[in-house]
Amino acid sequence: MPNERHILLLPGSLRAGSTNETVLHTAAAIAAETPGIGATYYTGLAELPHFNPDHDTDPLPEPVVGLRAAIDAADALLICTPEYAGTLPGSFKNLLDWTVGGTEISDKPAAWINCAGPGRGQGAEATLRTVLGYTGAAVLDEACARIPLDRQAVGPDGLVADPLVRERIGAVLARLAAG
């Protein structure tokens, strides 16, 4: 589709069936129904090697090449990550560490959805903002959202069924695509 804005969906959780995964798969479904927005769900988090600055040179490890290519191909990034021990999960911080040495994320519009319950997830948000600053990403505050997800809002297909929650996820996509 011409003029389609492509959003890369970056999950911060390795846990199958996590609410973060549910939010991003729902975002992908909403994008598929929305003219002018395309989305790809990144699936390579578990394959990324531990970050080592000595290995952040050519030739890069293949999973890192794939990550950077996916970021480069995207017009914007949407992140949904849990909070572990008051910060980002180590595996997701590792993903972000691999982006610092490249230029693919520089000036790329980025936002997140915090789907944790009320009063939770602020540590992950703060760390994410800091790390995205180091990568040069353009955080779009107006696209970042706290959308707590109750398991009761998830349908049998594993996607968010609650129309109000879906509307809020769609609004995040629209703001990010416009950014």
Side-chain angles (χ1 to χ4, degrees), residues 4-58:
E4 182 174 83
R5 298 281 294 166
H6 183 79
I7 300 172
L8 181 62
L9 308 172
L10 293 171
S13 178
L14 291 171
R15 189 171 148 242
S18 75
T19 54
N20 299 280
E21 179 181 275
T22 298
V23 165
L24 291 180
H25 281 301
T26 301
I30 292 168
E33 301 165 354
T34 306
I37 300 178
T40 301
Y41 186 94
Y42 177 74
T43 60
L45 181 62
E47 285 75 41
L48 290 170
H50 294 290
F51 177 73
N52 180 336
D54 292 338
H55 300 154
D56 195 6
T57 60
D58 287 327

Side-chain angles (χ1 to χ4, degrees), residues 10-13 20 24 79-83 88-89 92 112-115 124-125 128:
L10 293 171
S13 178
N20 299 280
L24 291 180
I79 299 163
C80 193
T81 182
E83 177 179 277
L88 296 172
F92 191 67
W112 58 80
I113 294 175
N114 175 349
C115 66
E125 283 184 37
L128 188 54

Side-chain angles (χ1 to χ4, degrees), residues 100-159:
V100 172
T103 58
E104 300 82 7
I105 203 168
S106 293
D107 298 320
K108 183 106 27 188
W112 58 80
I113 294 175
N114 175 349
C115 66
R120 301 184 65 204
Q122 290 86 349
E125 283 184 37
T127 304
L128 188 54
R129 181 177 299 283
T130 298
V131 177
L132 287 174
Y134 279 99
T135 68
V139 174
L140 297 180
D141 289 323
E142 65 276 12
C144 296
R146 290 186 182 168
I147 308 173
L149 182 62
D150 186 297
R151 286 277 179 203
Q152 305 301 325
V154 180
D157 60 356
L159 300 177

